[in-house]
Amino acid sequence: MPREAEPSLNERQFVLQALRENLRLDGRPFDKYRPVELIFGEQYGVVEVSFGKTKILAKTSAELTVPYVDRPLDGIFTIATELSPMTAPSFEVNRPTETEVLLSRLLEKTVRRSGALDTESLCLVAGQKCWSVRVDVHVLSHDGDLTDAACLAVVAALRHFRKPDTSIEGGLLTVYTPAEREPVPLSWLHSPFCVTWSFYGDQGEMALLDATLSEEHVRVGSCTISMNRHGEICQIAKLGGTPVDAVALLQCTNVALVKVKDFSAFLDRKLAEDAKRRDKGGLMAELSAENDR
Amino acid sequence: MAATDRIIVLPGDTIDPAVIPTPRRNAIRLGPGLRHVQATNSIVPTVAGQLITDHGKGSMWVESSTGHYIPAISDLVIGQITRSQGDYYLVNLSPYTPNATLPHLSFEAATKKTRPQLNPGALVYARVTLANRHMDPELECVSQTTGKGDGLGPLTGGMVFDVSLGMARRLLLSKPREYGGVAVLELLADEGLAFETAVGRNGKVWVGSDKSEANTRMVIAVGRALRETDERGLDVEAQKKLVRRIMKELSR
């Protein structure tokens, strides 16, 4: 297995020296994200998110299956993360690296375990038929801060996704094609986002948002905070590294809330733009078989 | 460089004999991207790109735009020491490629006792002396004929910036502004910035300066100017504008 390319000593020293002088290589302030781009695909549930040179593609799909025996009333929801050798030759297929394991674990905790998607609504016939919703996350290019970008991509893909409409009449389940009935969105409860802080210095006194790959190489610790725009924290992951002062961490969560609100507003705007683009002739309201809640 | 009209070649093309230089004294020198086929006694391009001929030096080669650096003899490169093995340092020229070797003694005035001790991760500016296919390349940091370093050797301090291979080639031309359309370093120096650079043909530019206050800012500014010129394909006029903007930011 090829080893990951490490930055040279000169680069390490320079990045740290620059941070000590309150400078970042791309000229950003410490608490600012790179330009975030989000493009929806032609299909429902396909989205491409880029943070600077980090690029993530997420694709949502749904199929009918039998629910798990121990959870007959719940649908199935999975997130599959893949870091392919296209990202960097050090990533191999079928041999997950630590980065990949941590990424999928954090996404799982943030999106699935926080109950963002109502899995009960995916069940069609108790114990017999349910939807299995699957999000595939592909990392196309890795320049640091994968977690935040991947989380945004997953949430955007799920909120953009439409599953085929169904009806049950006299115990007979009918699945309608998009031509018969307009597909319906998933039952979405809240939108969690990840904000990752990287810490530098002997006591971890410098905190950076959205670290690039070269900055990630020299950090002494990191902390991923997931929350929604109401300030409800879904999870906090600080996996090893230098201990960080509690007050500083509190400050980090406060800034994270501001960023999460930004993400939330950004995603709402993008979804509205996309809906407007698809709503040719303003017929969407009449086509929809959905009830307003 | 006496470039004639732009000739674009594809692999396997036949080259018009009129453009092939005919040096009177010695044999013609073929650079990267060309091969001599003995069966037909012809010169055949092996890559797609622009054919460059130099009638004065009797040499020709193909300039192509690739993402992957392939070492060629007498290229100047910036390498990263991986480790020391026996009498050699193993040097990485680009990520995920086999290491090049750099003998411990091929530094300026190096003897067994005075050779530089380089740790893994240190940077060296070196010249490629051996670049055969299917073999690890070899490097040197000293001129074999004069025994001088000529600016080659370990790079201390500073920062390395990744640029495209085409940009590195343009920066290494004898007159980057006239032939390559890259004036950004010249313009920054005209504005009074004092920095030094080393350009590696493997798409790396090292920027350093003396140890004083505010030099970190300057090195970052130079690096950003280089990368922006490269990524956005700026011409000389746009580079002037970029330099003015960067100088304004620096003085703030």
Side-chain angles (χ1 to χ4, degrees):
Chain A
M1 186 168 77
R3 276 201 303 169
E4 200 187 342
E6 297 254 312
S8 62
L9 290 175
N10 303 46
E11 284 169 85
R12 280 171 185 277
Q13 281 162 5
F14 187 85
V15 170
L16 285 176
Q17 178 59 35
L19 289 177
R20 259 177 246 128
E21 296 176 21
N22 272 336
L23 294 167
R24 288 176 87 164
L25 286 189
D26 41 14
R28 272 183 295 157
F30 278 12
D31 58 348
K32 195 157 182 268
Y33 273 86
R34 286 169 283 182
V36 177
E37 266 181 58
L38 194 152
I39 302 160
F40 290 111
E42 267 313 300
Q43 269 181 304
Y44 280 121
V46 178
V47 64
E48 198 181 291
V49 169
S50 59
F51 282 24
K53 280 183 183 162
T54 296
K55 201 172 241 187
I56 310 244
L57 179 80
K59 186 178 188 303
T60 316
S61 52
E63 57 173 4
L64 280 175
T65 48
V66 181
Y68 292 127
V69 184
D70 53 335
R71 319 212 64 164
L73 295 175
D74 277 346
I76 300 167
F77 171 38
T78 44
I79 302 173
T81 325
E82 193 179 339
L83 279 156
S84 69
M86 188 173 78
T87 318
S90 58
F91 297 115
E92 273 184 296
V93 183
N94 294 331
R95 196 191 286 178
T97 54
E98 196 188 81
T99 327
E100 185 170 348
V101 174
L102 290 183
L103 177 64
S104 60
R105 183 100 190 89
L106 275 173
L107 288 178
E108 195 101 322
K109 280 207 281 187
T110 306
V111 183
R112 211 164 77 100
R113 296 241 243 124
S114 74
L117 177 66
D118 178 18
T119 47
E120 278 184 27
S121 73
L122 296 176
C123 182
L124 299 168
V125 183
Q128 286 175 22
K129 275 279 176 268
C130 73
W131 285 111
S132 163
V133 175
R134 177 190 163 101
V135 190
D136 286 281
V137 180
H138 299 276
V139 178
L140 305 182
S141 125
H142 181 10
D143 190 23
D145 206 19
L146 284 184
T147 323
D148 298 9
C151 186
L152 177 62
V154 167
V155 171
L158 283 165
R159 284 183 60 182
H160 186 246
F161 183 64
R162 301 283 185 275
K163 66 178 193 308
D165 201 3
T166 53
S167 72
I168 299 173
E169 274 170 39
L172 191 73
L173 176 71
T174 323
V175 179
Y176 296 100
T177 62
E180 289 168 330
R181 275 197 195 176
E182 190 60 25
V184 291
L186 300 170
S187 165
W188 193 250
L189 300 178
H190 72 115
S191 299
F193 295 100
C194 291
V195 175
T196 303
W197 287 95
S198 301
F199 299 106
Y200 298 85
D202 295 333
Q203 257 86 56
E205 63 271 13
M206 288 180 287
L208 244 68
L209 265 186
D210 190 23
T212 60
L213 194 58
S214 59
E215 286 167 345
E216 273 187 5
H217 274 297
V218 295
R219 70 185 175 192
V220 294
S222 74
C223 176
T224 303
I225 302 163
S226 309
M227 59 163 102
N228 58 23
R229 69 191 163 96
H230 308 296
E232 293 160 347
I233 292 180
C234 307
Q235 63 93 19
I236 292 186
K238 168 113 182 41
L239 309 161
T242 309
V244 175
D245 185 32
V247 181
L249 207 56
L250 210 59
Q251 182 61 30
C252 289
T253 48
N254 287 337
V255 179
L257 178 58
V258 178
K259 297 294 167 192
V260 165
K261 281 181 177 163
D262 287 351
F263 277 139
S264 196
F266 172 74
L267 181 55
D268 286 347
R269 187 163 52 84
K270 284 284 179 186
L271 282 167
E273 272 172 25
D274 186 70
K276 204 171 168 191
R277 190 176 62 83
R278 283 167 193 272
D279 187 11
K280 290 206 180 82
L283 286 169
M284 216 51 132
E286 281 157 54
L287 282 171
S288 172
E290 220 190 343
N291 292 324
D292 282 331
R293 275 208 215 167
Chain B
M1 183 170 64
T4 49
D5 283 340
R6 287 199 166 187
I7 306 168
I8 305 296
V9 289
L10 294 173
D13 272 0
T14 44
I15 295 174
D16 182 8
V19 302
I20 297 175
T22 45
R24 249 173 255 149
R25 289 221 199 110
N26 35 19
I28 177 174
R29 285 162 65 97
L30 295 185
L34 290 174
R35 245 186 120 179
H36 178 233
V37 179
Q38 270 177 349
T40 55
N41 193 26
S42 59
I43 296 167
V44 180
T46 54
V47 292
Q50 187 188 355
L51 182 75
I52 313 263
T53 49
D54 188 334
H55 288 272
K57 285 181 186 159
S59 62
M60 62 194 290
W61 67 96
V62 180
E63 290 293 1
S64 58
S65 170
T66 53
H68 172 65
Y69 172 68
I70 298 162
I73 286 182
S74 80
D75 272 358
L76 294 173
V77 291
I78 293 178
Q80 183 179 337
I81 306 281
T82 315
R83 63 199 159 92
S84 173
Q85 188 184 55
D87 291 339
Y88 298 94
Y89 287 117
L90 297 185
V91 183
N92 196 267
L93 297 183
S94 49
Y96 310 111
T97 52
N99 286 316
T101 54
L102 170 65
H104 282 167
L105 294 180
S106 70
F107 289 90
E108 185 177 313
T111 61
K112 280 253 176 203
K113 281 178 186 160
T114 60
R115 68 182 178 84
Q117 301 283 337
L118 298 172
N119 292 323
L123 292 176
V124 285
Y125 194 33
R127 187 188 295 113
V128 179
T129 52
L130 181 80
N132 290 342
R133 269 188 300 176
H134 316 306
M135 277 176 76
D136 289 350
E138 277 183 31
L139 309 175
E140 64 174 11
C141 286
V142 65
S143 168
Q144 292 295 335
T145 44
T146 60
K148 290 268 169 53
D150 293 337
L152 301 179
L155 297 170
T156 49
M159 177 67 189
V160 205
F161 297 94
D162 288 328
V163 294
S164 68
L165 296 188
M167 180 74 175
R169 178 182 67 78
R170 283 156 69 198
L171 283 168
L172 277 169
L173 294 173
S174 54
K175 285 180 181 170
R177 188 178 194 149
E178 283 78 5
Y179 298 146
V182 195
V184 66
L185 291 179
E186 225 173 282
L187 290 169
L188 284 167
D190 287 346
E191 295 282 344
L193 296 188
F195 58 89
E196 44 183 350
T197 57
V199 183
R201 192 74 160 75
N202 53 343
K204 294 190 188 297
V205 181
W206 175 83
V207 181
S209 75
D210 59 339
K211 286 252 179 280
S212 65
E213 278 301 299
N215 76 44
T216 318
R217 267 173 84 98
M218 190 187 70
V219 170
I220 292 177
V222 174
R224 277 179 61 201
L226 274 172
R227 285 174 90 164
E228 244 174 82
T229 307
D230 184 23
E231 279 161 21
R232 290 167 46 199
L234 303 179
D235 59 6
V236 174
E237 276 310 306
Q239 287 171 32
K240 279 182 188 163
K241 252 183 221 161
L242 173 75
V243 166
R244 272 203 294 277
R245 204 186 77 214
I246 281 175
M247 290 311 295
K248 211 183 266 175
E249 277 174 29
L250 268 182
S251 60
R252 225 184 282 151

